[in-house]
Amino acid sequence: NAAKTLGFDTATGKQKSTKPLRQGGQDRFRGQIHAAIARIPDATDKAAATALMKKLQADHQQELQMGGTDKDENMAMIEQRMNSQMGAKFRAELKNLPPDTKIDKVVIETATGTAPSAGHRESGAASELQALLLKYKNVAASETNIRNWFKIT
């Protein structure tokens, strides 16, 4: 799917909203993972998986505001904080582009050599939950599904 900014809404004269594009995909995606967690036979591991899931959000890998879809193949579970920060950065940059602007490349620049902010902490929840679910592959879900949920190499 080609990345581009959303077009104009002729009724409002403003750039289209992503709201109509949200069709419950994130809820369905999370639901699949919650169902897999429910199938974990060990109570301690099930509780750990539930706790890890609370630190994650279903992310549109290609943002809706850049032409992405609300389907499973465009989603991955990522850290809540990362999802919020990236979404805010994308929105801030995209609002200055004309509607229907083709996006050829996205470069994410990060500061190097700086101390982490006081609120920053490495969580690793996505990789931990993936590893925990893989421990129960073919009981909780297939290995392919688990890897697709997280898209971690």
Side-chain angles (χ1 to χ4, degrees), residues 13 15 35 58 61 69 71 73 96 99 107 116 135-136 139 141:
Q15 202 162 13
Q61 296 291 280
T69 65
K71 298 186 183 210
E73 58 270 10
N96 298 320
V107 176
K135 179 178 171 182
Y136 294 100
V139 173

Side-chain angles (χ1 to χ4, degrees), residues 97-135:
L97 296 175
D100 292 318
T101 299
K102 183 178 176 188
I103 300 169
D104 293 321
K105 183 177 177 181
V106 175
V107 176
I108 300 170
E109 295 180 6
T110 59
T112 57
T114 58
S117 67
H120 177 76
R121 66 178 175 78
E122 295 294 327
S123 121
S127 58
E128 286 181 51
L129 181 54
Q130 181 185 46
L132 189 52
L133 288 169
L134 285 170
K135 179 178 171 182

Side-chain angles (χ1 to χ4, degrees), residues 19-117:
K19 196 171 193 173
L21 303 174
R22 295 180 187 278
Q23 301 172 348
Q26 289 173 305
D27 289 338
R28 283 189 303 275
F29 188 72
R30 282 189 299 266
Q32 293 173 34
I33 301 166
H34 282 295
I37 291 169
R39 290 190 289 273
I40 293 174
D42 181 83
T44 302
D45 284 347
K46 186 183 294 188
T50 300
L52 289 166
M53 188 69 173
K54 290 178 182 175
K55 297 178 181 181
L56 303 173
Q57 290 180 340
D59 175 59
H60 293 95
Q61 296 291 280
Q62 182 175 340
E63 298 290 327
L64 292 176
Q65 64 261 33
M66 288 192 258
T69 65
D70 199 32
K71 298 186 183 210
D72 289 358
E73 58 270 10
N74 188 40
M75 304 231 192
M77 295 304 292
I78 68 170
E79 313 291 323
Q80 288 178 354
R81 183 177 173 129
M82 180 194 314
N83 192 28
S84 298
Q85 289 175 343
M86 294 304 298
K89 286 181 182 198
F90 283 135
R91 277 189 297 283
E93 293 297 322
L94 292 174
K95 75 178 183 180
N96 298 320
L97 296 175
D100 292 318
T101 299
K102 183 178 176 188
I103 300 169
D104 293 321
K105 183 177 177 181
V106 175
V107 176
I108 300 170
E109 295 180 6
T110 59
T112 57
T114 58
S117 67

Side-chain angles (χ1 to χ4, degrees), residues 18 113 135 153:
T18 61
K135 179 178 171 182
T153 56

